[in-house]
Amino acid sequence: MRGMWSAPTGITLAGGAAAVVATAVVTAAVFAPPELVARLVAMAACVAAVGAFGGNLTAALATGSIAWTVLNGFLVNRLGVLTWHGAADAVRLGVLLGAATGGWLTAWSRQRLRHRRDVVRMRVWLYGDGFASSIHAHKEASPRG
């Protein structure tokens, strides 16, 4: 998106990949292997955070894809073996990519609100606020100047 601040794609992607690995390690220690939904939620939260704080949609979606491979290989399966589990993996991938998009939308909306606030402040600065304008109009109307 033009005009929106975002971290460079490579930096955000590297940070996102590191965050995904760290989240997977913590998640594997905290949740037992049968708790796949909890493991998915933890990974989705990580991906959403990357999207929200990085502000880069490409990097967020790539981080979501990396998170799916880590989730599939280490939290669903064992020893990094990637397999396709049909609809379950499609749902997991969709959740992770949706979390990435949702995180990015959070950053985008925050940026739009900040921009709107800055535009209002700039207009007040350029055209004056109600108090300063009324004093100026009163000074011009008075006979003593």
Side-chain angles (χ1 to χ4, degrees), residues 44 47-52 56-62 64 93-109:
V47 170
V50 170
N56 188 312
L57 182 59
T58 304
L61 292 173
L93 182 59
V95 166
L96 292 170
L97 295 179
T101 304
W104 176 79
L105 282 172
T106 301
W108 181 82
S109 62

PDB file of all heavy atoms in Angstrom, residues 44 47-52 56-62 64 93-109:
ATOM      1  N   ALA A  44      -1.093 -19.141  15.145  1.00  0.00           N
ATOM      2  CA  ALA A  44      -1.870 -18.079  14.494  1.00  0.00           C
ATOM      3  C   ALA A  44      -1.660 -16.749  15.199  1.00  0.00           C
ATOM      4  O   ALA A  44      -1.573 -15.699  14.548  1.00  0.00           O
ATOM      5  CB  ALA A  44      -3.351 -18.459  14.470  1.00  0.00           C
ATOM      6  N   VAL A  47       1.659 -15.363  14.030  1.00  0.00           N
ATOM      7  CA  VAL A  47       1.584 -14.847  12.660  1.00  0.00           C
ATOM      8  C   VAL A  47       0.813 -13.519  12.626  1.00  0.00           C
ATOM      9  O   VAL A  47       1.201 -12.588  11.917  1.00  0.00           O
ATOM     10  CB  VAL A  47       0.941 -15.902  11.729  1.00  0.00           C
ATOM     11  CG1 VAL A  47       0.632 -15.331  10.374  1.00  0.00           C
ATOM     12  CG2 VAL A  47       1.863 -17.107  11.599  1.00  0.00           C
ATOM     13  N   ALA A  48      -0.259 -13.435  13.399  1.00  0.00           N
ATOM     14  CA  ALA A  48      -1.028 -12.185  13.452  1.00  0.00           C
ATOM     15  C   ALA A  48      -0.171 -11.047  14.019  1.00  0.00           C
ATOM     16  O   ALA A  48      -0.246  -9.905  13.545  1.00  0.00           O
ATOM     17  CB  ALA A  48      -2.288 -12.375  14.293  1.00  0.00           C
ATOM     18  N   ALA A  49       0.642 -11.350  15.008  1.00  0.00           N
ATOM     19  CA  ALA A  49       1.526 -10.336  15.588  1.00  0.00           C
ATOM     20  C   ALA A  49       2.554  -9.858  14.566  1.00  0.00           C
ATOM     21  O   ALA A  49       2.842  -8.660  14.481  1.00  0.00           O
ATOM     22  CB  ALA A  49       2.218 -10.884  16.835  1.00  0.00           C
ATOM     23  N   VAL A  50       3.075 -10.767  13.770  1.00  0.00           N
ATOM     24  CA  VAL A  50       4.027 -10.374  12.726  1.00  0.00           C
ATOM     25  C   VAL A  50       3.347  -9.453  11.716  1.00  0.00           C
ATOM     26  O   VAL A  50       3.905  -8.435  11.304  1.00  0.00           O
ATOM     27  CB  VAL A  50       4.625 -11.615  12.027  1.00  0.00           C
ATOM     28  CG1 VAL A  50       5.408 -11.228  10.787  1.00  0.00           C
ATOM     29  CG2 VAL A  50       5.511 -12.385  12.993  1.00  0.00           C
ATOM     30  N   GLY A  51       2.120  -9.791  11.339  1.00  0.00           N
ATOM     31  CA  GLY A  51       1.385  -8.939  10.410  1.00  0.00           C
ATOM     32  C   GLY A  51       1.076  -7.579  10.992  1.00  0.00           C
ATOM     33  O   GLY A  51       1.172  -6.556  10.318  1.00  0.00           O
ATOM     34  N   ALA A  52       0.719  -7.547  12.279  1.00  0.00           N
ATOM     35  CA  ALA A  52       0.340  -6.286  12.919  1.00  0.00           C
ATOM     36  C   ALA A  52       1.536  -5.378  13.168  1.00  0.00           C
ATOM     37  O   ALA A  52       1.457  -4.169  12.970  1.00  0.00           O
ATOM     38  CB  ALA A  52      -0.377  -6.569  14.235  1.00  0.00           C
ATOM     39  N   ASN A  56       3.631  -5.418   6.816  1.00  0.00           N
ATOM     40  CA  ASN A  56       3.993  -5.809   5.466  1.00  0.00           C
ATOM     41  C   ASN A  56       3.210  -7.067   5.111  1.00  0.00           C
ATOM     42  O   ASN A  56       3.451  -8.135   5.670  1.00  0.00           O
ATOM     43  CB  ASN A  56       5.510  -6.061   5.399  1.00  0.00           C
ATOM     44  CG  ASN A  56       5.994  -6.286   3.997  1.00  0.00           C
ATOM     45  OD1 ASN A  56       5.423  -7.062   3.247  1.00  0.00           O
ATOM     46  ND2 ASN A  56       7.064  -5.611   3.641  1.00  0.00           N
ATOM     47  N   LEU A  57       2.261  -6.940   4.180  1.00  0.00           N
ATOM     48  CA  LEU A  57       1.382  -8.058   3.842  1.00  0.00           C
ATOM     49  C   LEU A  57       2.144  -9.228   3.233  1.00  0.00           C
ATOM     50  O   LEU A  57       1.895 -10.384   3.584  1.00  0.00           O
ATOM     51  CB  LEU A  57       0.270  -7.598   2.898  1.00  0.00           C
ATOM     52  CG  LEU A  57      -0.747  -8.658   2.501  1.00  0.00           C
ATOM     53  CD1 LEU A  57      -1.448  -9.224   3.729  1.00  0.00           C
ATOM     54  CD2 LEU A  57      -1.746  -8.101   1.514  1.00  0.00           C
ATOM     55  N   THR A  58       3.079  -8.956   2.364  1.00  0.00           N
ATOM     56  CA  THR A  58       3.849 -10.030   1.733  1.00  0.00           C
ATOM     57  C   THR A  58       4.613 -10.836   2.776  1.00  0.00           C
ATOM     58  O   THR A  58       4.582 -12.069   2.768  1.00  0.00           O
ATOM     59  CB  THR A  58       4.834  -9.446   0.695  1.00  0.00           C
ATOM     60  OG1 THR A  58       4.095  -8.666  -0.242  1.00  0.00           O
ATOM     61  CG2 THR A  58       5.600 -10.536  -0.008  1.00  0.00           C
ATOM     62  N   ALA A  59       5.278 -10.151   3.668  1.00  0.00           N
ATOM     63  CA  ALA A  59       6.041 -10.839   4.714  1.00  0.00           C
ATOM     64  C   ALA A  59       5.115 -11.574   5.671  1.00  0.00           C
ATOM     65  O   ALA A  59       5.441 -12.672   6.137  1.00  0.00           O
ATOM     66  CB  ALA A  59       6.903  -9.843   5.477  1.00  0.00           C
ATOM     67  N   ALA A  60       3.959 -11.004   5.966  1.00  0.00           N
ATOM     68  CA  ALA A  60       3.011 -11.663   6.867  1.00  0.00           C
ATOM     69  C   ALA A  60       2.491 -12.960   6.257  1.00  0.00           C
ATOM     70  O   ALA A  60       2.409 -14.000   6.929  1.00  0.00           O
ATOM     71  CB  ALA A  60       1.858 -10.722   7.196  1.00  0.00           C
ATOM     72  N   LEU A  61       2.138 -12.926   4.972  1.00  0.00           N
ATOM     73  CA  LEU A  61       1.653 -14.141   4.312  1.00  0.00           C
ATOM     74  C   LEU A  61       2.756 -15.196   4.178  1.00  0.00           C
ATOM     75  O   LEU A  61       2.510 -16.391   4.362  1.00  0.00           O
ATOM     76  CB  LEU A  61       1.069 -13.799   2.942  1.00  0.00           C
ATOM     77  CG  LEU A  61      -0.228 -12.985   2.967  1.00  0.00           C
ATOM     78  CD1 LEU A  61      -0.616 -12.551   1.564  1.00  0.00           C
ATOM     79  CD2 LEU A  61      -1.343 -13.758   3.639  1.00  0.00           C
ATOM     80  N   ALA A  62       3.972 -14.745   3.893  1.00  0.00           N
ATOM     81  CA  ALA A  62       5.093 -15.687   3.826  1.00  0.00           C
ATOM     82  C   ALA A  62       5.368 -16.297   5.192  1.00  0.00           C
ATOM     83  O   ALA A  62       5.652 -17.492   5.310  1.00  0.00           O
ATOM     84  CB  ALA A  62       6.332 -14.985   3.281  1.00  0.00           C
ATOM     85  N   GLY A  64       3.109 -16.757   7.473  1.00  0.00           N
ATOM     86  CA  GLY A  64       2.025 -17.718   7.655  1.00  0.00           C
ATOM     87  C   GLY A  64       2.314 -19.043   6.971  1.00  0.00           C
ATOM     88  O   GLY A  64       2.023 -20.121   7.512  1.00  0.00           O
ATOM     89  N   LEU A  93      -3.902 -24.132   7.173  1.00  0.00           N
ATOM     90  CA  LEU A  93      -3.266 -23.138   6.310  1.00  0.00           C
ATOM     91  C   LEU A  93      -4.149 -21.903   6.182  1.00  0.00           C
ATOM     92  O   LEU A  93      -3.661 -20.772   6.251  1.00  0.00           O
ATOM     93  CB  LEU A  93      -2.968 -23.740   4.936  1.00  0.00           C
ATOM     94  CG  LEU A  93      -2.249 -22.837   3.936  1.00  0.00           C
ATOM     95  CD1 LEU A  93      -0.905 -22.382   4.484  1.00  0.00           C
ATOM     96  CD2 LEU A  93      -2.088 -23.553   2.606  1.00  0.00           C
ATOM     97  N   GLY A  94      -5.436 -22.106   6.028  1.00  0.00           N
ATOM     98  CA  GLY A  94      -6.364 -20.981   5.939  1.00  0.00           C
ATOM     99  C   GLY A  94      -6.388 -20.138   7.207  1.00  0.00           C
ATOM    100  O   GLY A  94      -6.434 -18.911   7.149  1.00  0.00           O
ATOM    101  N   VAL A  95      -6.352 -20.800   8.356  1.00  0.00           N
ATOM    102  CA  VAL A  95      -6.330 -20.074   9.631  1.00  0.00           C
ATOM    103  C   VAL A  95      -5.060 -19.233   9.737  1.00  0.00           C
ATOM    104  O   VAL A  95      -5.108 -18.063  10.132  1.00  0.00           O
ATOM    105  CB  VAL A  95      -6.457 -21.051  10.819  1.00  0.00           C
ATOM    106  CG1 VAL A  95      -6.089 -20.383  12.142  1.00  0.00           C
ATOM    107  CG2 VAL A  95      -7.857 -21.627  10.893  1.00  0.00           C
ATOM    108  N   LEU A  96      -3.930 -19.803   9.383  1.00  0.00           N
ATOM    109  CA  LEU A  96      -2.665 -19.072   9.488  1.00  0.00           C
ATOM    110  C   LEU A  96      -2.596 -17.903   8.505  1.00  0.00           C
ATOM    111  O   LEU A  96      -2.163 -16.803   8.869  1.00  0.00           O
ATOM    112  CB  LEU A  96      -1.488 -20.028   9.298  1.00  0.00           C
ATOM    113  CG  LEU A  96      -1.306 -21.048  10.424  1.00  0.00           C
ATOM    114  CD1 LEU A  96      -0.278 -22.095  10.031  1.00  0.00           C
ATOM    115  CD2 LEU A  96      -0.921 -20.363  11.719  1.00  0.00           C
ATOM    116  N   LEU A  97      -3.043 -18.120   7.277  1.00  0.00           N
ATOM    117  CA  LEU A  97      -3.034 -17.022   6.309  1.00  0.00           C
ATOM    118  C   LEU A  97      -4.078 -15.968   6.664  1.00  0.00           C
ATOM    119  O   LEU A  97      -3.860 -14.773   6.455  1.00  0.00           O
ATOM    120  CB  LEU A  97      -3.245 -17.565   4.893  1.00  0.00           C
ATOM    121  CG  LEU A  97      -2.130 -18.469   4.364  1.00  0.00           C
ATOM    122  CD1 LEU A  97      -2.461 -18.954   2.957  1.00  0.00           C
ATOM    123  CD2 LEU A  97      -0.785 -17.786   4.402  1.00  0.00           C
ATOM    124  N   GLY A  98      -5.200 -16.406   7.216  1.00  0.00           N
ATOM    125  CA  GLY A  98      -6.206 -15.458   7.690  1.00  0.00           C
ATOM    126  C   GLY A  98      -5.683 -14.627   8.855  1.00  0.00           C
ATOM    127  O   GLY A  98      -5.954 -13.427   8.948  1.00  0.00           O
ATOM    128  N   ALA A  99      -4.937 -15.260   9.754  1.00  0.00           N
ATOM    129  CA  ALA A  99      -4.338 -14.526  10.876  1.00  0.00           C
ATOM    130  C   ALA A  99      -3.323 -13.511  10.367  1.00  0.00           C
ATOM    131  O   ALA A  99      -3.250 -12.384  10.882  1.00  0.00           O
ATOM    132  CB  ALA A  99      -3.680 -15.497  11.852  1.00  0.00           C
ATOM    133  N   ALA A 100      -2.546 -13.880   9.362  1.00  0.00           N
ATOM    134  CA  ALA A 100      -1.577 -12.951   8.779  1.00  0.00           C
ATOM    135  C   ALA A 100      -2.289 -11.752   8.167  1.00  0.00           C
ATOM    136  O   ALA A 100      -1.896 -10.597   8.386  1.00  0.00           O
ATOM    137  CB  ALA A 100      -0.737 -13.662   7.721  1.00  0.00           C
ATOM    138  N   THR A 101      -3.344 -12.017   7.429  1.00  0.00           N
ATOM    139  CA  THR A 101      -4.108 -10.940   6.804  1.00  0.00           C
ATOM    140  C   THR A 101      -4.785 -10.074   7.867  1.00  0.00           C
ATOM    141  O   THR A 101      -4.796  -8.843   7.763  1.00  0.00           O
ATOM    142  CB  THR A 101      -5.154 -11.514   5.834  1.00  0.00           C
ATOM    143  OG1 THR A 101      -4.488 -12.345   4.879  1.00  0.00           O
ATOM    144  CG2 THR A 101      -5.907 -10.412   5.111  1.00  0.00           C
ATOM    145  N   GLY A 102      -5.345 -10.696   8.886  1.00  0.00           N
ATOM    146  CA  GLY A 102      -5.980  -9.942   9.967  1.00  0.00           C
ATOM    147  C   GLY A 102      -4.993  -9.063  10.710  1.00  0.00           C
ATOM    148  O   GLY A 102      -5.302  -7.922  11.053  1.00  0.00           O
ATOM    149  N   GLY A 103      -3.816  -9.577  10.973  1.00  0.00           N
ATOM    150  CA  GLY A 103      -2.781  -8.762  11.618  1.00  0.00           C
ATOM    151  C   GLY A 103      -2.383  -7.584  10.758  1.00  0.00           C
ATOM    152  O   GLY A 103      -2.243  -6.457  11.248  1.00  0.00           O
ATOM    153  N   TRP A 104      -2.219  -7.826   9.461  1.00  0.00           N
ATOM    154  CA  TRP A 104      -1.863  -6.740   8.557  1.00  0.00           C
ATOM    155  C   TRP A 104      -2.987  -5.707   8.475  1.00  0.00           C
ATOM    156  O   TRP A 104      -2.731  -4.502   8.455  1.00  0.00           O
ATOM    157  CB  TRP A 104      -1.543  -7.278   7.164  1.00  0.00           C
ATOM    158  CG  TRP A 104      -1.263  -6.177   6.205  1.00  0.00           C
ATOM    159  CD1 TRP A 104      -0.100  -5.467   6.078  1.00  0.00           C
ATOM    160  CD2 TRP A 104      -2.179  -5.607   5.269  1.00  0.00           C
ATOM    161  NE1 TRP A 104      -0.237  -4.503   5.113  1.00  0.00           N
ATOM    162  CE2 TRP A 104      -1.494  -4.571   4.589  1.00  0.00           C
ATOM    163  CE3 TRP A 104      -3.492  -5.889   4.932  1.00  0.00           C
ATOM    164  CZ2 TRP A 104      -2.100  -3.817   3.602  1.00  0.00           C
ATOM    165  CZ3 TRP A 104      -4.093  -5.122   3.938  1.00  0.00           C
ATOM    166  CH2 TRP A 104      -3.402  -4.108   3.287  1.00  0.00           C
ATOM    167  N   LEU A 105      -4.236  -6.162   8.448  1.00  0.00           N
ATOM    168  CA  LEU A 105      -5.367  -5.229   8.420  1.00  0.00           C
ATOM    169  C   LEU A 105      -5.413  -4.368   9.684  1.00  0.00           C
ATOM    170  O   LEU A 105      -5.817  -3.207   9.631  1.00  0.00           O
ATOM    171  CB  LEU A 105      -6.686  -5.983   8.239  1.00  0.00           C
ATOM    172  CG  LEU A 105      -6.983  -6.435   6.818  1.00  0.00           C
ATOM    173  CD1 LEU A 105      -8.212  -7.340   6.795  1.00  0.00           C
ATOM    174  CD2 LEU A 105      -7.151  -5.258   5.882  1.00  0.00           C
ATOM    175  N   THR A 106      -5.011  -4.938  10.798  1.00  0.00           N
ATOM    176  CA  THR A 106      -4.915  -4.167  12.033  1.00  0.00           C
ATOM    177  C   THR A 106      -3.900  -3.041  11.872  1.00  0.00           C
ATOM    178  O   THR A 106      -4.163  -1.886  12.232  1.00  0.00           O
ATOM    179  CB  THR A 106      -4.521  -5.074  13.208  1.00  0.00           C
ATOM    180  OG1 THR A 106      -5.510  -6.089  13.348  1.00  0.00           O
ATOM    181  CG2 THR A 106      -4.384  -4.300  14.499  1.00  0.00           C
ATOM    182  N   ALA A 107      -2.735  -3.367  11.321  1.00  0.00           N
ATOM    183  CA  ALA A 107      -1.708  -2.343  11.085  1.00  0.00           C
ATOM    184  C   ALA A 107      -2.198  -1.308  10.079  1.00  0.00           C
ATOM    185  O   ALA A 107      -1.983  -0.102  10.257  1.00  0.00           O
ATOM    186  CB  ALA A 107      -0.424  -2.993  10.587  1.00  0.00           C
ATOM    187  N   TRP A 108      -2.867  -1.752   9.047  1.00  0.00           N
ATOM    188  CA  TRP A 108      -3.364  -0.851   8.014  1.00  0.00           C
ATOM    189  C   TRP A 108      -4.405   0.106   8.578  1.00  0.00           C
ATOM    190  O   TRP A 108      -4.356   1.305   8.328  1.00  0.00           O
ATOM    191  CB  TRP A 108      -3.959  -1.662   6.863  1.00  0.00           C
ATOM    192  CG  TRP A 108      -4.482  -0.812   5.750  1.00  0.00           C
ATOM    193  CD1 TRP A 108      -3.763  -0.250   4.742  1.00  0.00           C
ATOM    194  CD2 TRP A 108      -5.838  -0.409   5.552  1.00  0.00           C
ATOM    195  NE1 TRP A 108      -4.592   0.477   3.921  1.00  0.00           N
ATOM    196  CE2 TRP A 108      -5.875   0.388   4.403  1.00  0.00           C
ATOM    197  CE3 TRP A 108      -7.014  -0.655   6.240  1.00  0.00           C
ATOM    198  CZ2 TRP A 108      -7.046   0.945   3.915  1.00  0.00           C
ATOM    199  CZ3 TRP A 108      -8.186  -0.099   5.753  1.00  0.00           C
ATOM    200  CH2 TRP A 108      -8.192   0.689   4.605  1.00  0.00           C
ATOM    201  N   SER A 109      -5.362  -0.413   9.364  1.00  0.00           N
ATOM    202  CA  SER A 109      -6.404   0.447   9.930  1.00  0.00           C
ATOM    203  C   SER A 109      -5.817   1.418  10.951  1.00  0.00           C
ATOM    204  O   SER A 109      -6.223   2.583  11.019  1.00  0.00           O
ATOM    205  CB  SER A 109      -7.526  -0.381  10.552  1.00  0.00           C
ATOM    206  OG  SER A 109      -7.051  -1.160  11.611  1.00  0.00           O
TER     207      SER A 109
END
